[in-house]
Amino acid sequence: MERAWIAPVSGGKEADGSPQGGQLMLLNSLIDKKVPFVPASGKDSKNITWYTCGPTVYDSAHVGHARNYLAFDIVRRVLEDYFGYSILYVMNITDVEDKIILRARRKYLMAEYLAQEGSDPERLLKDAAEALAVAEQKQLAKLKNAEEEVERCDVTTPDGKKRIENLKEAAEQEGLLYRKMSDAVDRLKEMDVSTSRDEILDAAGDALAARLDEERKATVSDPEIFRAHAARFEQEFTDDMQSLNIRPPTVMTRVSEYIPEIVSYISTIVDNNLAYESNGSVYFDTQAFRASGHTYGKLNPWAVGSALNAEGGDTGEKRHQCDFALWKAAKPGEPTWESPWGRGRPGWHIECSAMASAIIGDVVDIHSGGEDLRFPHHDNELAQAEAFYHCQGCNQWVNYFLHSGHLGIEGLKMSKSLKNFITIREALTTFTPRQLRLMMALNPWDRRMAYGVQVQEEVKSREAQLKNFFSNVEVVIRKSTNSVNHPQKWFEEEMTLSEAYKSAAASIHTSFLDSINTRGALDAVSELIKATNVYLSARSGSDGQIPQPMLLRQCAALVTRTLSVMGLTPYTSDQLGMDNVGSGDSEASKRTDSILDALSEFRDKVRNLAKSKSNPAEYLTCCDCLRDDALVEIGVRLEDKADGTSVWKIDDPATLRKERDEKIAAQAAIEKKKLNNKWENLKREIEKFAKIESLPSLQESLSAKYAKFDADGFPTHNAEGQPLEGKAIDKAKKEVEKAKKVRIPYEKKVAELGPNFLNDMKSQLSDLQAKLQSM
């Protein structure tokens, strides 16, 4: 279906959408097209508002969440630092919601159960098995419902084709959950009372907690249980965002602090006849909303009406299946607040509409979130806000909706419900914060991306390319401080690099205009680096021409600036590079002390070698120790050049240690292989000589064919005692020569090394074996 979008206007004219006009375009989820970006405050205004959906703080944030927050932090930085916008950036914290209530309550009830009934292994195993069996049947029912939805979907319409994609993905996820649950059932069947409690709970803990919750939730009445749970994970989320260097919002809104505003917001929607009270709950009236001239399901119209997406099921309280709760009547085991409809709590979607309206008002420039929030959450947000501002004629509360693509793992979205997630803290044990940011920047913010080996390898390769580039430029600049004595004339090589710089700058700008295409910008940076490497290679020849430092500085400044606006370096174009090394006096002083200590120790070693008139090779070993040990710990990379000189570059000590250790390991592997080959060859030699040594004497080996031999050991009579004649003598001669030839290598070794040579070889083999085992 064709979806409507009202383009913001300024001065009676819509924005020029042509890339040639230098217009910033954004992929707007309201119509899934790139459209010109114009602030609500006017085309020439630099003030914009942005609301982003924050976390529901019921568990640790994972890399899928980092994908969303890093992606939009990068987009925000480009808008602020590259295009110069001033952003009122609002993010909510959902600390009142079904998932939080369930998780906090179940955690409390499980701890209580384990301290009492669960201390009996037999009781725990029995309860776990019963709970898991029930959970498996429930999940099977969900899977069947999902598959039936796919079967019922009409694919002959454009909406149907889009809808079935969503339904198939949902069915696939339900199937994965069912298979995992069935595997857990099978694992639990193999367990007995000797099985550890942790193993039992690993298989059936969630199912057991759900059963306890169904039976005992009414016993949980202390609101602090829910608040403490949410507060713990809110703090963890905040710490994770700081670790990832994500800019904090201008305003952070917490649901529990905005209950009065939310109640007032709902009241206005009810007064506008677009919501109704039912048994103490308040539901949004989707049919009345449509009848009043509004569109429900702007972002994901093909999901509207799906039984899988219907909220709350058929409770008998709702007028229509699509209606959803704005206020939920009080239930046992839940936190509640006062309202005109009785005690209760807010529904999930209303919080964002109410809090964003409280801070921003009736028009939001940008609203962002994960792709999975399109429907029902974001569509319901839009409906609520239009209903709230209905009397003002509001038909478009948000002008630009941005949705980040899912992060996939094993072919599915990374998700807590699927238990296929990696927490941010776990990821930071493998990657640095910058590497994770670079990973997201290399993938367009609006597209799905895979968290796999290929992506991870590209990140590390790109980072190495950038660091090497800055190190090479820094070396040239450092060596050419005296510009008076430096030739400044440009030749063809400089002109070529200058053109590459201009091309890269233009490509970076075009990429940022194209819906903040960070991948395109980084590819342009990579091309400039390649051109710079070609230039440096050409200027390292024997023609006497040296690199032009000012041109290289210009190239490095562009790269630094581009990385800076994506949050990949703390520097701007005035200070080149990626690492904030030596930024403080104490750090600089510490580095200087370490360098002086290393040089002093090196001098002592060299003087002692000279005094003892040591072998020249020992001097080289001493130099290698300085390069590979002392300087590595300081964070200095020393590279030997072909002309006998060397250059130093600042780098991360951990990176240098890793490279050194990998080099040592590779050399050790080569040495081990050589030693192993030597061992195998010696073993074969020993086996060969031992076999010859064990042979009978010449006469004994031929005794079956010949009865008598002369003094030289040559056969004279055959086995029957008859003298040899004619051809028989020739044949005997050949057999003797063949037998002697077999023994010749052994006899030569005896002559060369003595009769005990075989024992000596066996001793050498034992020594080699011991060395191999020690490696």
Side-chain angles (χ1 to χ4, degrees), residues 384-424:
Q384 291 163 163
E386 288 183 26
F388 179 77
Y389 292 111
H390 174 68
C391 294
Q392 288 97 310
C394 176
N395 281 303
Q396 183 169 288
W397 180 53
V398 173
N399 284 338
Y400 300 87
F401 238 118
L402 311 183
H403 285 102
S404 60
H406 289 155
L407 182 75
I409 185 168
E410 297 174 353
L412 291 171
K413 182 190 79 168
M414 187 177 289
S415 164
K416 288 175 183 173
S417 62
L418 297 176
K419 296 187 177 180
N420 63 346
F421 64 92
I422 299 166
T423 68
I424 291 174

Side-chain angles (χ1 to χ4, degrees), residues 100-101 104-105 220 222-231 333-335:
I100 298 170
I101 293 168
R105 198 169 60 205
V220 183
D222 185 0
E224 183 57 28
I225 292 172
F226 307 105
R227 178 66 202 131
H229 184 90
E334 294 186 0

Side-chain angles (χ1 to χ4, degrees), residues 640-659:
D640 296 326
K641 298 179 68 178
D643 61 3
T645 61
S646 60
V647 294
W648 60 266
K649 301 173 182 178
I650 299 298
D651 208 333
D652 179 26
T655 300
L656 294 176
R657 282 190 215 103
K658 185 179 178 183
E659 289 179 3

Side-chain angles (χ1 to χ4, degrees), residues 90-104:
V90 184
M91 183 175 75
N92 73 301
I93 295 289
T94 300
D95 62 343
V96 179
E97 198 265 345
D98 291 349
K99 292 190 185 76
I100 298 170
I101 293 168
L102 279 173
R103 185 63 63 90

Side-chain angles (χ1 to χ4, degrees), residues 24 72-85 87 247 512-513 516-518 561-562 564-567:
L24 170 62
F72 287 127
D73 182 70
I74 293 169
V75 173
R76 175 189 178 186
R77 285 171 182 266
V78 173
L79 289 174
E80 289 181 329
D81 299 347
Y82 187 83
F83 290 111
Y85 286 104
I87 302 177
R247 283 181 177 170
F512 284 150
L513 287 174
I516 321 294
N517 180 3
T518 52
R561 164 88 169 132
T562 306
S564 175
V565 298
M566 289 188 261

Side-chain angles (χ1 to χ4, degrees), residues 482-491 544-550:
N482 189 348
S483 59
V484 174
N485 296 326
H486 191 291
Q488 299 294 335
K489 185 176 180 179
W490 277 23
F491 294 92
Q545 298 296 332
I546 57 177
Q548 292 293 340
M550 287 184 281

